[in-house]
Amino acid sequence: MTYEVTVEPTGEVITVEEGQSILHAALRQGVWLPFACGHGTCATCKCRVLEGDVDIGEASPFALMEMEREEGLILTCCAIPESDVTIEADIDVDDDFMGFTVNDYQATVTNIEDLSPTIKGITFQLDSSMEFQAGQYVNVSIPGVEGTRAFSIANTPSDNQVLELHVRLLPGGLGTTYLHEQLRVGDSLEVSGPYGQFFARYSDPKDVIFIAGGSGLSSPQSMILDLIERGDDRKIYLFQGARNLSELYNRERFEQLQKSHSNFHYIPALNEPEATDEWTGYRCFVHEAVNQYFDGKCEGHKAYLCGPPPMIDAAITTLMQARLFERDIHMERFVSAADTSDGASKSALFKRI
């Protein structure tokens, strides 16, 4: 059984399979709807049901409050149509967004390496080319794990049959434990993508600040390499945060990039260096390094933040205090499956006629 979802104000019509989310169907049919996390936690894909029956699914109570549910608001990444539906979406497409269609791929592992004690770099060969923008992510189906897991793409779009992922081992995480302990070269996994609204705004002439923490380096790595590959002459700053030197992965790669490209600046920071670490750089959290480096004055830049929510929140505060405001700050929060299991109950149907 299928249902038709009409998107207002554009009037576009999406065919949705039974049990399929509205957003999932839209992305696979080339119909753009606003979204970011794709897992019911960020509220970017919030829309209003004008007509029809919708099961709101596993939407976080923080992203979709009870009052909003009663008013007919949904998150399209979770919402499952139960009839033909009309929704109203706030459609404001960024001029730099390319809107590539989401497709399914078979990804075969060609390399696994230890990037740090807790992060593995996994490289796949795709069975066909995938068009994506630097900064976007894919969903990976992992054996024995319900649903999918999202990982940002670390390679550049020019390598469109290669997929490089940085996977941090999460204690008790079924997906990351499998990828760290059981995955082998030659294994194949099902992958879908590209997803996400985290990408470089090439049309904006401002110099660029990247702030990355942990495996959140993956998206900035893709974006920086893509900018350099394109011959972009803006000043590019990468602030990479880690606890200690062993966790500061790909350091040599970015130090070499800094030597060969005068417009690229690499600024790492360690917040808890080991006594044995020979470290003369910043000894603080990465957002504090940004503040010190720019002497509290970040206006006139474009900023891209990628990493765990506490790092993102601290970096946003720092940047705004340094006179960089919302229109010039873009972010990708790395939220684990455990973070999305917040006890949100599955609601009854929304009915709007």
Side-chain angles (χ1 to χ4, degrees):
M1 183 178 293
T2 62
Y3 301 108
E4 288 190 344
V5 175
T6 302
V7 181
E8 297 294 352
T10 64
E12 292 179 290
V13 178
I14 306 161
T15 300
V16 184
E17 302 288 338
E18 188 171 12
Q20 187 180 33
S21 74
I22 294 172
L23 179 63
H24 186 267
L27 294 176
R28 289 170 181 273
Q29 293 170 51
V31 176
W32 188 87
L33 291 174
F35 77 103
C37 77
H39 298 283
T41 61
C42 74
T44 304
C45 66
K46 193 175 294 181
C47 293
R48 184 179 300 277
V49 177
L50 300 178
E51 184 176 329
D53 303 343
V54 177
D55 185 329
I56 66 168
E58 301 292 344
S60 161
F62 302 103
L64 191 66
M65 295 183 290
E66 192 62 37
M67 178 180 65
E68 294 176 312
R69 299 172 188 225
E70 293 171 357
E71 293 175 351
L73 295 177
I74 61 170
L75 303 182
T76 60
C77 68
C78 301
I80 311 291
E82 298 285 351
S83 71
D84 289 345
V85 174
T86 300
I87 63 172
E88 183 178 41
D90 183 13
I91 298 177
D92 182 19
V93 182
D94 192 294
D95 290 339
D96 287 297
F97 180 58
M98 298 178 184
F100 294 123
T101 302
V102 171
N103 289 301
D104 297 315
Y105 302 88
Q106 200 71 23
T108 302
V109 181
T110 58
N111 187 58
I112 302 175
E113 62 177 319
D114 292 325
L115 298 176
S116 83
T118 61
I119 299 173
K120 285 189 182 291
I122 305 175
T123 304
F124 299 86
Q125 181 73 27
L126 299 176
D127 60 348
S128 60
S129 299
M130 178 173 66
E131 291 186 298
F132 67 93
Q133 287 184 257
Q136 291 190 297
Y137 68 89
V138 293
N139 281 335
V140 181
S141 297
I142 301 172
V145 178
E146 184 178 356
T148 59
R149 296 295 183 264
F151 297 98
S152 291
I153 304 169
N155 54 288
T156 63
S158 60
D159 296 326
N160 59 15
Q161 274 198 270
V162 172
L163 189 62
E164 178 187 340
L165 307 180
H166 299 169
V167 180
R168 186 180 189 88
L169 179 63
L170 299 175
L174 295 177
T176 61
T177 298
Y178 180 93
L179 296 177
H180 270 250
E181 298 179 2
Q182 295 179 250
L183 191 70
R184 298 290 183 267
V185 171
D187 290 350
S188 292
L189 299 177
E190 293 179 359
V191 171
S192 65
Y195 298 97
Q197 296 293 295
F198 190 60
F199 53 87
R201 274 63 180 177
Y202 299 113
S203 64
D204 195 307
K206 298 184 186 74
D207 293 336
V208 186
I209 299 171
F210 290 96
I211 305 175
S215 59
L217 179 65
S218 49
S219 288
Q221 174 177 300
S222 175
M223 297 161 84
I224 289 166
L225 295 177
D226 187 45
L227 286 168
I228 290 175
E229 198 175 271
R230 289 166 174 262
D232 198 294
D233 59 2
R234 286 176 288 180
K235 290 182 180 179
I236 303 168
Y237 302 87
L238 170 60
F239 291 85
Q240 182 187 5
R243 177 170 295 176
N244 53 52
L245 195 57
S246 67
E247 292 289 348
L248 192 71
Y249 73 94
N250 282 2
R251 174 190 175 192
E252 294 79 8
R253 181 174 192 174
F254 291 111
E255 288 177 339
Q256 185 57 47
L257 204 63
Q258 181 173 239
K259 290 178 181 177
S260 57
H261 294 84
S262 60
N263 64 321
F264 176 66
H265 307 276
Y266 176 57
I267 308 98
L270 304 181
N271 64 288
E272 290 184 14
E274 302 285 351
T276 55
D277 289 343
E278 296 181 2
W279 184 251
T280 58
Y282 283 102
R283 290 173 173 257
C284 58
F285 289 104
V286 67
H287 66 280
E288 295 171 327
V290 173
N291 193 53
Q292 292 178 43
Y293 186 90
F294 286 106
D295 195 24
K297 300 172 184 176
C298 292
E299 58 188 324
H301 292 82
K302 201 82 169 168
Y304 299 89
L305 325 179
C306 194
M311 186 219 83
I312 297 288
D313 293 340
I316 290 172
T317 299
T318 295
L319 291 170
M320 295 190 75
Q321 289 174 344
R323 302 197 62 75
L324 196 64
F325 299 109
E326 183 179 1
R327 66 180 179 275
D328 288 320
I329 300 175
H330 307 277
M331 69 200 77
E332 182 84 298
R333 297 176 189 268
F334 271 31
V335 181
S336 71
D339 295 323
T340 65
S341 302
D342 50 23
S345 60
K346 196 166 184 176
S347 168
L349 302 181
F350 266 134
K351 300 189 178 185
R352 289 292 178 269
I353 299 176

